[in-house]
Amino acid sequence: MPGTRVRLTPREREAVQAYWSGTGSPQRAARRVLTAGSSVMATVGAFCLLVGVTGAFLGPRHLKHAWVLLMMGGMLLPMACFFLWAIRRNARRLTEDLKLGSKLVVDGIVGDRFHVARNGRTPDCLVRVVVPPLQEPGNFVVPERVFRGLGKGDAVRCAYLPTSKLLLSLGSGKVFHAIGDPP
């Protein structure tokens, strides 16, 4: 893996913890909504499977409604489990990175820049950093001012957590961004 491993500073550790679970953090709010929605989906899915298998409350058209409920439960329950697993996996990766206590610093170039719209919210600004000998460490979400200040092919130095791919800092000759800085 290209780059240099460097110890996390206490400021970076605090900024990562505030980013992930701080009061008013968008990531914390999104995790809560997704966890609540997944829990409701799991409950409804389990109920649909139970009613579909036992036939309770179905009346004279038992078979048709039972198949519909079984299909609904068969879709909702795995989806809910997948969302809960994904949340848990991200939290575990971030915990591993913080326990390890090091970041990866790489010099690369901006491979691409693009917006990703998310359900009517302001779009996320993504920057793909490419390290020349190999491929890319990943796509990183940056504030709009950094996004506008960077162009395709610009040289950048970025520091990120290797397992969770969380961007800690990104700098070029024109702009600089560090986690915890105001957008």
Side-chain angles (χ1 to χ4, degrees):
M1 181 171 278
T4 308
R5 285 200 180 266
V6 179
R7 279 267 170 233
L8 281 174
T9 64
R11 181 211 165 283
E12 288 172 330
R13 185 179 294 277
E14 289 172 6
V16 167
Q17 290 170 343
Y19 170 83
W20 183 253
S21 60
T23 306
S25 166
Q27 287 69 28
R28 181 178 182 185
R31 279 195 324 275
R32 284 186 172 182
V33 167
L34 193 57
T35 302
S38 297
S39 299
V40 169
M41 282 176 26
T43 304
V44 170
F47 179 74
C48 288
L49 286 175
L50 178 68
V51 171
V53 169
T54 63
F57 314 115
L58 293 181
R61 297 180 126 178
H62 171 72
L63 192 57
K64 182 179 179 183
H65 294 293
W67 279 109
V68 169
L69 287 172
L70 286 172
M71 285 188 292
M72 283 178 50
M75 288 186 304
L76 289 175
L77 200 55
M79 283 185 350
C81 291
F82 172 75
F83 290 142
L84 292 172
W85 170 80
I87 292 169
R88 175 76 178 133
R89 183 186 69 172
N90 289 343
R92 188 174 15 118
R93 285 181 173 177
L94 190 65
T95 302
E96 288 173 10
D97 279 335
L98 290 176
K99 194 180 288 185
L100 184 61
S102 66
K103 61 186 175 184
L104 198 58
V105 178
V106 296
D107 292 323
I109 58 172
V110 175
D112 203 2
R113 310 169 332 129
F114 44 94
H115 284 92
V116 176
R118 308 262 176 143
N119 299 333
R121 287 187 348 201
T122 55
D124 288 338
C125 300
L126 293 166
V127 173
R128 176 175 292 141
V129 176
V130 178
V131 179
L134 297 174
Q135 283 300 320
E136 56 216 42
N139 298 329
F140 300 112
V141 177
V142 295
E144 191 168 354
R145 68 171 177 76
V146 175
F147 181 80
R148 292 190 189 285
L150 292 174
K152 188 172 181 177
D154 285 353
V156 294
R157 172 171 279 186
C158 66
Y160 63 97
L161 297 176
T163 306
S164 59
K165 302 284 189 190
L166 179 63
L167 182 67
L168 299 174
S169 66
L170 184 132
S172 74
K174 303 175 201 171
V175 292
F176 179 78
H177 168 70
I179 189 167
D181 287 350

